[in-house]
Amino acid sequence: MSNSNIRTVTKTGAFTALAISGRTRVVGIYYTCNNTASLIHLHNNTTGTGTAQTTIYTPPAAGAYDIIIPDLGLLFTTAVFLECSANVLSVTLLFEGGAPA
Protein backbone atom coordinates (compact mmCIF):
# COMPACT_ATOMS: atom_id res chain seq x y z
CA MET A 1 0.00 0.00 0.00
CA SER A 2 1.18 3.51 -0.82
CA ASN A 3 1.60 6.27 1.75
CA SER A 4 0.45 8.82 -0.80
CA ASN A 5 -3.04 9.84 -1.81
CA ILE A 6 -2.75 10.24 -5.59
CA ARG A 7 -5.94 11.26 -7.37
CA THR A 8 -6.85 12.11 -10.95
CA VAL A 9 -8.80 14.76 -12.81
CA THR A 10 -9.60 14.67 -16.54
CA LYS A 11 -10.54 17.52 -18.87
CA THR A 12 -11.64 16.86 -22.46
CA GLY A 13 -11.92 18.82 -25.68
CA ALA A 14 -10.35 22.16 -26.55
CA PHE A 15 -10.45 23.79 -23.17
CA THR A 16 -9.14 26.44 -20.86
CA ALA A 17 -10.21 25.55 -17.35
CA LEU A 18 -9.32 25.27 -13.71
CA ALA A 19 -8.28 21.65 -13.18
CA ILE A 20 -7.18 21.50 -9.52
CA SER A 21 -7.90 23.99 -6.77
CA GLY A 22 -5.53 24.54 -3.87
CA ARG A 23 -1.90 23.66 -3.25
CA THR A 24 -0.99 20.47 -5.10
CA ARG A 25 1.80 18.43 -6.63
CA VAL A 26 1.28 17.08 -10.13
CA VAL A 27 3.07 13.72 -10.37
CA GLY A 28 1.93 12.58 -13.80
CA ILE A 29 0.21 13.71 -16.99
CA TYR A 30 -1.62 11.58 -19.55
CA TYR A 31 -2.93 13.23 -22.71
CA THR A 32 -4.41 12.40 -26.08
CA CYS A 33 -4.05 14.53 -29.20
CA ASN A 34 -4.67 14.46 -32.92
CA ASN A 35 -2.05 14.63 -35.67
CA THR A 36 -1.20 18.33 -35.32
CA ALA A 37 1.46 19.61 -32.91
CA SER A 38 -0.09 21.49 -30.00
CA LEU A 39 0.60 23.03 -26.60
CA ILE A 40 -0.57 22.26 -23.08
CA HIS A 41 0.09 25.02 -20.54
CA LEU A 42 -0.18 24.47 -16.78
CA HIS A 43 -0.51 27.74 -14.84
CA ASN A 44 0.02 28.19 -11.10
CA ASN A 45 -3.16 30.22 -10.54
CA THR A 46 -6.95 30.06 -10.91
CA THR A 47 -7.32 32.14 -14.07
CA GLY A 48 -4.62 31.11 -16.52
CA THR A 49 -3.06 34.56 -16.61
CA GLY A 50 0.66 35.20 -16.84
CA THR A 51 3.44 32.84 -17.79
CA ALA A 52 2.76 29.11 -17.63
CA GLN A 53 4.69 27.22 -14.97
CA THR A 54 4.98 24.24 -17.31
CA THR A 55 4.42 23.88 -21.06
CA ILE A 56 4.15 20.56 -22.88
CA TYR A 57 4.66 20.43 -26.63
CA THR A 58 2.64 17.59 -28.13
CA PRO A 59 4.03 15.71 -31.14
CA PRO A 60 2.52 15.99 -34.64
CA ALA A 61 1.22 12.43 -34.38
CA ALA A 62 -2.17 11.26 -33.13
CA GLY A 63 -2.01 9.14 -30.00
CA ALA A 64 -1.96 8.87 -26.25
CA TYR A 65 1.11 9.93 -24.27
CA ASP A 66 2.12 9.94 -20.63
CA ILE A 67 4.65 11.86 -18.59
CA ILE A 68 5.72 10.59 -15.19
CA ILE A 69 7.25 13.37 -13.09
CA PRO A 70 10.01 12.12 -10.78
CA ASP A 71 10.70 12.86 -7.13
CA LEU A 72 7.86 14.88 -5.54
CA GLY A 73 6.33 16.14 -8.78
CA LEU A 74 5.64 19.74 -9.84
CA LEU A 75 4.51 21.99 -7.00
CA PHE A 76 1.62 24.38 -7.69
CA THR A 77 1.12 26.62 -4.65
CA THR A 78 -2.23 28.16 -5.68
CA ALA A 79 -4.02 25.91 -8.20
CA VAL A 80 -3.54 24.22 -11.58
CA PHE A 81 -5.16 25.97 -14.51
CA LEU A 82 -5.02 24.12 -17.86
CA GLU A 83 -4.81 25.93 -21.17
CA CYS A 84 -4.90 23.64 -24.21
CA SER A 85 -5.12 24.19 -27.95
CA ALA A 86 -7.84 22.63 -30.12
CA ASN A 87 -5.70 19.64 -31.12
CA VAL A 88 -5.46 18.32 -27.56
CA LEU A 89 -8.37 15.93 -27.03
CA SER A 90 -8.00 15.17 -23.32
CA VAL A 91 -5.65 15.70 -20.37
CA THR A 92 -5.59 13.63 -17.18
CA LEU A 93 -3.54 14.96 -14.29
CA LEU A 94 -2.33 12.67 -11.50
CA PHE A 95 -1.90 14.74 -8.37
CA GLU A 96 -1.53 14.78 -4.61
CA GLY A 97 -3.10 17.51 -2.47
CA GLY A 98 -5.64 20.04 -3.66
CA ALA A 99 -9.07 19.09 -5.02
CA PRO A 100 -10.40 18.39 -8.52
CA ALA A 101 -12.17 21.42 -9.96
Side-chain angles (χ1 to χ4, degrees), residues 87-100:
N87 301 309
V88 176
L89 305 175
S90 69
V91 175
T92 299
L93 299 176
L94 290 80
F95 67 97
E96 187 171 16

Side-chain angles (χ1 to χ4, degrees), residues 16-68:
T16 300
L18 182 64
I20 304 167
S21 59
R23 181 183 171 97
T24 189
R25 289 187 181 272
V26 174
V27 296
I29 302 167
Y30 173 84
Y31 66 91
T32 59
C33 57
N34 66 19
N35 61 354
T36 303
S38 301
L39 296 173
I40 301 170
H41 298 290
L42 283 76
H43 294 269
N44 184 16
N45 57 46
T46 59
T47 60
T49 58
T51 304
Q53 180 169 320
T54 301
T55 298
I56 298 164
Y57 296 86
T58 69
Y65 302 90
D66 61 76
I67 301 169
I68 304 302

